Amino acid sequence: KNWWVLVDKDGFGDELADALERNGRIVTRLHAGSGFTREGPSSFIVSPDRQEDYSALIEEAGGPPDAVVHLWRLAGNVEDGGGQDASGLLALARAMHDHEEIKAPPVLVVSEGVHDVSGDEMLQPSQASLLGACAAAAKESPKLSIRNLDVVAGANGRQRLVKQLLKETANG
């Protein structure tokens, strides 16, 4: 199975991608940037809000992915904007929806601070638009299975979070 991991700036996405690869997944890493560029054999830069970049990647890869883990909305990645706002999720969903061979791949949008998960975390009101984007993307692209997973990552919880995401993605 071919997975796309939209890698965050803090390195968590690389840890998750490595774990997925150790579990037999083929992983393509996507980094946010200013336009579609191949970085390496399985690494690309895309402009998050450009549907054309995702479409170009689908063509380059020979088809859409079997699953996506979207990490660009983790709290540490949102402060500077970087084009990784809710419109990026819509662009991704539209590009994937445009391909007839797609069969309901899961799109797991990972966030931090959207919901009160443990009662101890700091909520991030700037993340609220993500829920609307998930709902809009699911409505526009019914072939996709889009869901939000809100987490409490923290510096000490990364390995625990990798394990949790591996469980969440086990069926994909």
Side-chain angles (χ1 to χ4, degrees), residues 109-133:
V109 182
V110 183
S111 59
E112 187 174 8
V114 173
H115 300 284
D116 187 3
V117 176
S118 69
D120 296 328
E121 67 276 357
M122 174 83 81
L123 295 180
Q124 304 289 328
S126 62
Q127 292 273 52
S129 64
L130 182 62
L131 296 177

Side-chain angles (χ1 to χ4, degrees), residues 1 16 24 33 39 51 54 70 100 102 108 110 119 131 153 156 172:
K1 299 225 176 207
L16 177 62
E39 274 192 312
Q51 180 178 339
Y54 299 110
H70 186 298
E100 291 179 19
I102 202 161
L108 184 60
V110 183
L131 296 177
N156 299 328

Side-chain angles (χ1 to χ4, degrees), residues 111-172:
S111 59
E112 187 174 8
V114 173
H115 300 284
D116 187 3
V117 176
S118 69
D120 296 328
E121 67 276 357
M122 174 83 81
L123 295 180
Q124 304 289 328
S126 62
Q127 292 273 52
S129 64
L130 182 62
L131 296 177
C134 287
K139 194 169 236 176
E140 282 189 24
S141 306
K143 291 192 259 183
L144 304 179
S145 172
I146 299 172
R147 61 191 176 108
N148 172 240
L149 177 65
D150 199 51
V151 299
V152 179
N156 299 328
R158 286 170 76 130
Q159 285 204 327
R160 177 181 43 79
L161 186 52
V162 166
K163 287 179 184 176
Q164 179 183 358
L165 286 172
L166 285 173
K167 283 183 190 175
E168 292 284 337
T169 59
N171 297 327

Side-chain angles (χ1 to χ4, degrees), residues 14 17 24 49 65 78 82 87 101 105 107 126 128 130 153 159 163 165:
D14 285 319
D49 56 355
V78 180
S87 66
E101 67 271 15
V107 178
S126 62
L130 182 62
Q159 285 204 327
K163 287 179 184 176
L165 286 172

